[in-house]
Amino acid sequence: MSTYTIINPTTETAVRDVALADIAQTDAIIMKAATAFETWRKVNPGDRARLLRKFAAIVDDHIEELAQLEVLNSGHTIGNARWEAGNVRDVLNYYSAAPERLFGRQIPVPNGIDVTFKEPLGVVGIIVPWNFPMPIAGWGFGPALAAGNTVVLKPAELTPLTAIRLGELALLAGIPEGVFNVIPGKGSIVGERFVTNPIVRKVVFTGSTTVGKQIMRGSADQVKRVTLELGGKSANIIFANADIEKAAAGAPGAVFDNAGQDCCARSRILVERSVYEKFMSHFESAVKKFRVEDPSLDSAEMGPLISAGQLARVKEYVPDNSEVAFQGSKPEGPGYWFAPTVLTPKDESDRAYREEIFGPVVSVLPFEDEADAIRIANNSEYGLSGSIWSRDIGQAVRVSRAVEAGNLSVNSNSSVRYWTPFGGYKQSGLGRELGPDALDSFTETKNVFFDTQA
Ligand code: NAP
Ligand code: MG
């Protein structure tokens, strides 16, 4: 059996070895999930709700343990990691209300009664990337289980530890064996098998746009359902009438949080030309103050990158002749560190400006007026997230309606709230997660007509 050695990205030392599943093992677990589906779907709604609430309570009892595990495995700041574990709890609690509220409709028709049912799909495959191992897993398995599906979940090879632990906690909560299965392994083996094995009825994929396209192509063979959450190159648009100090103070966190390894990172800052100098001077002091340090410290705002490979990829985007305006700091010694870096490209054709870097690198461009800001923001193949800073309410409404992205915030940089839908326009994805409608992507609508004529 092949194994993978987990490396702590802060110290570059080995943490432990994890066994990787092969195709036969993957198929066996998928089969187990299919068997478990036959009983899980019939668990009555109140009992299924209670089990999910119990799972949430057990996660809550283990927040600190899960958070420490994520610091060790992924180099996340401890503050973020606690939030991430808490998010799994919250998502489970939120969707624990669903089994008892999975309403269909009664639709007026002639000569009978017409009723719709929301039926579970069966086995759902969830493929998780390494950037937010806990929340992204939970956004899939929470609503999937609530709707009566069973789950096979593949964590990223680099970051399986919290997912493995969540699998154990589910059993501790009384979720029956086979309902929630975590399968550590390679994307090209386990992930690919979720696409090709016909027992898996749906694939939820979060990761790179390149692999997302492969999943979509592969799923076509069986008309398999897919939800895709892919890359981003989101714009942080700052108008002259905005609170410039506040926008500048928040801008480092909006892109350098999680070392920039965030699909919602505001990695393009667009600033109205008349306030460009003012913004840059406040932004520079905020970047220089941004605390890049040992992520286990409560004060840390940014830790290392996930791997030597990711560090090398990020470095490629900042060659020696780059237009670097200024940089933040990084610790000396071991760890995959990259200092927060602010680029001022000449124009929109610049590669670092256009491509998703997934590291702590941001490009700043000036714009002339509202129409110019909208044009520049939309000149991207991506459309996931973004921020609009303006004190003019009409302008904030106009621009938020015009920007082609699934998740925008006005005078704020928040992207994810589990109560509201999350997902991308264009090549940032397909479908929406979270919020009140997420159950729709984990159910089929079945329509039944009852003839009532004598
Ligand atoms: P990736 O290859 O798309 O990985 C995401 C997940 O998909 C991992 O679990 C991976 O497994 C799995 N996977 C890989 N190839 C697969 C295949 N052929 N079939 C099914 N599953 C497969 O992303 P990456 O290589 O880690 O990162 C590369 C770049 O993607 C990043 O630099 C970033 O730009 C982007 N990215 C975006 C997001 C996002 O949230 N939007 C997340 C991660 C990465 P393994 O365990 O083998 O990796
Ligand atoms: Mg990859």
Side-chain angles (χ1 to χ4, degrees):
M1 182 190 282
S2 70
T3 60
Y4 178 80
T5 305
I6 310 279
I7 305 292
N8 178 338
T10 309
T11 58
E12 300 183 42
T13 54
V15 175
R16 70 155 127 134
D17 289 353
V18 170
L20 302 177
D22 60 19
I23 290 192
Q25 288 163 326
T26 305
D27 280 346
I29 299 172
I30 291 171
M31 193 47 98
K32 201 170 123 189
T35 305
F37 175 62
E38 293 312 322
T39 44
W40 181 244
R41 68 182 307 182
K42 293 183 195 127
V43 170
N44 78 48
D47 288 338
R48 204 190 301 144
R50 232 185 325 274
L51 283 167
L52 291 172
R53 284 195 286 271
K54 186 76 196 297
F55 189 6
I58 299 260
V59 170
D60 192 49
D61 290 341
H62 292 79
I63 297 273
E64 192 57 28
E65 181 200 329
L66 288 163
Q68 295 292 350
L69 207 51
E70 206 64 274
V71 175
L72 190 72
N73 189 162
S74 309
H76 288 198
T77 62
I78 183 65
N80 277 10
R82 288 183 184 124
W83 180 91
E84 291 160 18
N87 183 257
V88 174
R89 171 204 55 210
D90 294 344
V91 168
L92 281 167
N93 268 326
Y94 182 73
Y95 289 108
S96 74
E100 295 172 293
R101 294 168 179 80
L102 215 50
F103 303 122
R105 303 166 95 182
Q106 178 267 313
I107 300 171
V109 291
N111 306 325
I113 297 171
D114 195 285
V115 180
T116 66
F117 296 92
K118 294 206 188 278
E119 303 283 15
L121 302 171
V123 179
V124 171
I126 302 173
I127 302 173
V128 180
W130 45 260
N131 59 328
F132 288 110
M134 283 191 276
I136 292 173
W139 304 351
F141 70 70
L145 296 175
N149 304 283
T150 55
V151 166
V152 287
L153 183 145
K154 191 204 90 66
E157 195 179 356
L158 294 174
T159 58
L161 296 187
T162 49
I164 293 170
R165 190 66 186 127
L166 286 168
E168 296 165 353
L169 296 179
L171 292 175
L172 208 57
I175 305 276
E177 188 84 36
V179 169
F180 175 45
N181 309 277
V182 177
I183 318 181
K186 285 185 184 300
S188 54
I189 296 173
V190 178
E192 181 74 34
R193 194 61 190 142
F194 288 2
V195 176
T196 56
N197 186 323
I199 297 171
V200 177
R201 292 295 179 83
K202 165 158 190 151
V203 173
V204 180
F205 171 83
T206 306
S208 62
T209 297
T210 311
V211 176
K213 288 177 184 174
Q214 267 170 260
I215 305 256
M216 194 172 175
R217 229 177 265 128
S219 296
D221 262 351
Q222 299 164 18
V223 197
K224 190 169 290 197
R225 279 72 179 130
V226 288
T227 295
L228 304 173
E229 299 290 357
L230 310 175
K233 193 75 191 181
S234 297
N236 188 358
I237 308 172
I238 296 150
F239 286 99
N241 66 48
D243 182 339
I244 302 299
E245 280 88 346
K246 192 172 171 205
V255 56
F256 302 142
D257 185 65
N258 208 33
Q261 303 165 125
D262 181 345
C263 47
C264 290
R266 274 71 166 162
S267 52
R268 297 186 295 149
I269 300 180
L270 314 181
V271 189
E272 194 158 359
R273 192 180 293 282
S274 58
V275 290
Y276 181 82
E277 298 304 330
K278 179 178 175 192
F279 172 82
M280 286 302 262
S281 106
H282 288 290
F283 185 40
E284 178 164 11
S285 38
V287 170
K288 297 235 151 108
K289 278 196 298 223
F290 204 69
R291 296 186 69 99
V292 182
E293 59 189 358
D294 176 351
S296 66
L297 299 172
D298 278 326
S299 55
E301 293 177 286
M302 183 181 128
L305 294 170
I306 186 66
S307 64
Q310 190 62 15
L311 178 60
R313 255 197 298 269
V314 172
K315 278 183 174 163
E316 259 184 49
Y317 282 97
V318 192
D320 289 342
N321 62 349
S322 300
E323 317 276 349
V324 176
F326 43 86
Q327 279 186 305
S329 63
K330 68 175 172 75
E332 296 305 317
Y336 308 123
W337 302 98
F338 194 85
T341 298
V342 178
L343 304 176
T344 45
K346 282 194 191 60
D347 57 49
E348 293 169 69
S349 67
D350 182 81
R351 182 168 163 254
Y353 170 84
R354 298 199 67 79
E355 295 180 12
E356 180 174 56
I357 298 176
F358 238 55
V361 181
V362 67
S363 299
V364 190
L365 266 191
F367 66 83
E368 305 308 328
D369 56 21
E370 192 178 303
D372 197 33
I374 293 167
R375 182 196 61 74
I376 298 174
N378 288 340
N379 182 15
S380 169
E381 69 199 20
Y382 295 116
L384 190 54
S385 195
S387 296
I388 296 144
W389 295 82
S390 171
R391 281 184 171 121
D392 173 341
I393 295 175
Q395 177 171 63
V397 172
R398 284 192 303 275
V399 177
S400 47
R401 295 299 300 270
V403 172
E404 297 164 341
N407 313 275
L408 296 169
S409 45
V410 174
N411 297 326
S412 139
N413 294 310
S414 101
S415 310
V416 172
R417 293 155 303 269
Y418 60 85
W419 311 271
T420 62
F422 177 79
Y425 274 42
K426 300 192 274 189
Q427 294 191 30
S428 284
L430 188 71
R432 293 291 180 273
E433 299 190 279
L434 298 176
D437 302 327
L439 281 303
D440 289 347
S441 1
F442 293 103
T443 50
E444 292 284 2
T445 299
K446 179 182 285 172
N447 190 70
V448 183
F449 171 70
F450 297 85
D451 191 326
T452 54
Q453 284 174 297

